[in-house]
Structures are given as C-alpha cells and as structure tokens.
Amino acid sequence: MNNLRQYLAERFPLGITATHALATSAMLVGIAARNQPLPDRIWSTLGISTTFFFFMLRMRVTDEFKDRSHDDANYPNRPVQRGTITTPQLIALGSFALTAELVLAFMSGYATGNPIAILWHLSILGYSVLTHFEFFAKSFLERHFNIYFLIHQQIFILYPVWVFSIWNTDLNSGTIGAAFAFVLFMTAMEIVRKYEI
C-alpha cells in the first residue's frame, strides 16, 4: 500500500483532484438542474464528481502506458520509471477506476430516473479510448500540437451533454452558453496542467 500511496501522491494528488472533480461537477449540476430541489442537486453533484474523479484516475493510469517510452527517456524519476509501482498494480488500479466510473455513471442517471444517460457517458469512455490511441494518427498529431490539443479537449463537450441527459435539461441560450463556459474552463485547466512544468 505504501507504493500506491507514493504513486498517488506524486501522480494523482487526491486532495487537489477531488476538489477539482467536485467543483466542475457542481458547475455542471448548477447549469443542468438549477430549478431542482437542493438535496437532489447535492446528491447528483456527489455522484457526478466521484464519476469524474475515477474518470481522471483511469486516464492517469492509461497515460502511464501511452507515454511510457517518452517518460522512460525524459522523466526517469517518476514512480513508474523508478519501479515504485508495477505494471500489474497499474492495471489493477485502472480496472478498479473503470469499474467505479461506470457504476457511478449509471447510478447518477438512475437516481434521476434516466438510467439511459449512461449511453452518453459511454461516449465519453469511447472518446477517451480514441485519445489513448491518438486517434490512430499519432505521427500527424505529433507534428501539429495545436490540433492535437484541440482534438483532445473535445471530450469535455460530452460532459455537459451527459449531465444534461441525466436531468433532461432544456436546451436554450443560457444552458448552451453555460456549457460552452464549462468547456472553456476545462480547456484552461488543461493548458495550466500542460505548462505546469
């Protein structure tokens, strides 16, 4: 367990990530369900935020595999490169995160009477798989970083769509504009993350 704690501390700080997941989910629920009772919104925020938390954990683990050769060459002090955590442990962690993500995504829709909303979350899962494989155009995207970055940010468009399907949100200029603001916020967070080094 010490090696897992060390890995998470360095590569997936729980406090920061949980706060980020909660804040972004509160923003989405505030957009999608602003006229709903407060207790329902609170429970929905908790369900969506934990789903998002495990989504980010799954992406962290899959990125360890996607970026392995690059990190081996450029970041020898990272936990995977140092041998702090093993490949089977990463697979187990990623499998746990995926299972938790899907169960919580289903329950988030089920709680509002919209279990079919899981289909929109599956589109998020599918898009994340495409990002893992670099849309099968890795050499092209490596030569065009701006295109690479913008394509990867499109996944955040699917998050408001998923939450809107959970709450049967009416589409109007206000909700669409707020959803666009959410996508811009997430893109800004990614820019900060990319340049934090």
Side-chain angles (χ1 to χ4, degrees):
M1 290 299 291
N2 285 335
N3 60 340
L4 178 59
R5 280 195 292 267
Q6 183 66 36
Y7 172 77
L8 294 174
E10 292 186 40
R11 300 294 282 154
F12 195 78
L14 298 180
I16 293 172
T17 309
T19 302
H20 175 52
L22 185 61
T24 54
S25 299
M27 182 179 181
L28 284 173
V29 173
I31 296 167
R34 63 183 178 199
N35 297 321
Q36 301 298 324
L38 180 60
D40 293 346
R41 283 182 285 155
I42 290 173
W43 283 110
S44 184
T45 298
L46 291 174
I48 292 167
S49 66
T50 50
T51 304
F52 189 46
F53 177 88
F54 285 110
F55 159 80
M56 291 190 289
L57 178 57
R58 174 177 61 81
M59 292 295 286
R60 173 69 271 146
V61 171
T62 56
D63 280 355
E64 297 290 2
F65 291 97
K66 183 181 75 170
D67 302 332
R68 185 66 182 266
S69 60
H70 177 268
D71 289 350
D72 285 348
N74 296 285
Y75 301 103
N77 291 323
R78 286 183 173 172
V80 172
Q81 283 63 42
R82 296 196 318 263
T84 301
I85 190 167
T86 66
T87 297
Q89 288 172 325
L90 277 176
I91 292 172
L93 182 62
S95 299
F96 172 75
L98 173 62
T99 302
E101 175 190 351
L102 292 178
V103 169
L104 289 162
F106 175 78
M107 293 305 297
S108 294
Y110 183 81
T112 62
N114 292 301
I116 199 167
I118 186 64
L119 297 178
W120 283 109
H121 191 81
L122 291 177
S123 71
I124 295 171
L125 176 62
Y127 201 93
S128 69
V129 171
L130 287 175
T131 65
H132 176 77
F133 291 104
E134 305 290 13
F135 297 89
F136 303 100
K138 184 175 181 178
S139 60
F140 172 81
L141 293 176
E142 285 178 345
R143 296 192 308 271
H144 301 87
F145 178 78
N146 289 337
I147 295 174
Y148 167 92
F149 181 78
L150 289 173
I151 288 176
H152 278 65
Q153 302 320 298
Q154 302 311 303
I155 194 169
F156 294 120
I157 294 173
L158 297 173
Y159 259 91
V161 173
W162 171 54
V163 177
F164 286 1
S165 71
I166 289 174
W167 283 101
N168 287 327
T169 304
D170 291 331
L171 296 181
N172 53 51
S173 59
T175 55
I176 292 172
F180 183 67
F182 168 82
V183 174
L184 290 179
F185 169 72
M186 296 301 292
T187 301
M189 292 292 291
E190 280 295 290
I191 291 172
V192 170
R193 189 177 71 85
K194 293 288 186 187
Y195 287 96
E196 66 180 340
I197 297 174

Coordinates of all heavy atoms in Angstrom, one line a residue, residues 7 37 50 66 83 114 128 130 141 147 160 166 173 190 195:
Y7 N 2.7 6.6 -5.3 CA 2.3 6.9 -6.7 C 1.2 7.9 -6.8 O 1.4 8.9 -7.5 CB 1.8 5.6 -7.4 CG 1.2 5.8 -8.7 CD1 2.1 6.1 -9.8 CD2 -0.1 5.9 -8.9 CE1 1.6 6.3 -11.1 CE2 -0.7 6.1 -10.2 CZ 0.2 6.4 -11.2 OH -0.3 6.6 -12.5
P37 N -34.8 20.6 -6.6 CA -34.6 20.7 -5.2 C -33.1 20.6 -4.8 O -32.4 19.8 -5.4 CB -35.4 19.6 -4.6 CG -36.4 19.2 -5.6 CD -35.7 19.5 -7.0
T50 N -17.7 12.0 -8.2 CA -17.0 10.8 -8.0 C -16.8 10.0 -9.3 O -15.7 9.4 -9.5 CB -17.7 9.9 -6.9 OG1 -19.0 9.7 -7.2 CG2 -17.5 10.5 -5.5
K66 N 0.5 4.9 -22.3 CA 0.6 5.6 -23.6 C 2.0 6.4 -23.7 O 2.6 6.4 -24.7 CB -0.5 6.6 -23.7 CG -0.5 7.4 -25.1 CD -1.7 8.3 -25.2 CE -1.4 9.6 -24.3 NZ -2.4 10.6 -24.6
G83 N 10.2 2.2 -10.6 CA 9.7 0.9 -10.1 C 8.9 1.0 -8.8 O 8.7 0.0 -8.2
N114 N -33.3 8.5 -15.1 CA -32.8 8.5 -16.5 C -31.6 7.6 -16.7 O -30.5 8.0 -17.0 CB -32.4 9.9 -16.9 CG -33.6 10.8 -17.1 OD1 -34.5 10.6 -17.9 ND2 -33.6 11.9 -16.3
S128 N -12.3 8.8 -24.9 CA -11.1 8.6 -24.1 C -10.2 7.5 -24.7 O -9.0 7.6 -24.7 CB -11.4 8.5 -22.7 OG -11.9 7.2 -22.4
L130 N -10.1 6.7 -27.9 CA -9.5 7.3 -29.1 C -8.3 8.2 -28.7 O -7.3 8.2 -29.4 CB -10.6 8.1 -29.8 CG -11.6 7.3 -30.6 CD1 -12.7 8.2 -31.2 CD2 -11.0 6.4 -31.6
L141 N -0.4 14.0 -35.4 CA -0.7 14.9 -34.3 C 0.6 15.3 -33.6 O 0.6 16.4 -33.0 CB -1.6 14.1 -33.3 CG -3.0 13.8 -33.8 CD1 -3.8 13.0 -32.8 CD2 -3.7 15.1 -34.1
I147 N -3.5 21.2 -33.1 CA -4.6 20.3 -33.5 C -4.7 19.2 -32.5 O -5.8 18.8 -32.0 CB -4.3 19.7 -34.9 CG1 -4.3 20.8 -35.9 CG2 -5.3 18.6 -35.2 CD1 -4.0 20.4 -37.3
P160 N -21.1 18.0 -20.4 CA -22.4 18.7 -20.3 C -23.5 17.9 -20.9 O -24.6 17.9 -20.4 CB -22.2 20.1 -21.0 CG -20.7 20.3 -20.9 CD -20.1 18.9 -21.1
I166 N -28.8 13.4 -17.9 CA -29.2 12.9 -16.5 C -30.4 13.7 -16.0 O -31.4 13.2 -15.4 CB -28.1 13.1 -15.6 CG1 -27.0 12.1 -15.9 CG2 -28.5 13.0 -14.1 CD1 -25.7 12.3 -15.0
S173 N -30.4 29.3 -24.9 CA -29.1 30.0 -25.0 C -28.4 30.1 -23.7 O -27.2 30.1 -23.6 CB -29.4 31.5 -25.4 OG -30.3 32.1 -24.5
E190 N -6.5 22.5 -18.6 CA -5.6 21.6 -19.3 C -4.4 22.4 -19.7 O -3.3 21.8 -19.7 CB -6.3 21.0 -20.5 CG -7.1 19.8 -20.1 CD -6.3 18.6 -19.6 OE1 -5.5 18.0 -20.4 OE2 -6.4 18.3 -18.4
Y195 N 1.5 23.1 -19.0 CA 2.6 24.0 -18.8 C 3.1 24.1 -17.4 O 3.9 25.0 -17.1 CB 2.2 25.4 -19.4 CG 2.2 25.5 -20.9 CD1 1.0 25.3 -21.5 CD2 3.4 25.6 -21.6 CE1 0.9 25.3 -22.9 CE2 3.3 25.6 -23.0 CZ 2.1 25.5 -23.6 OH 2.0 25.5 -25.0

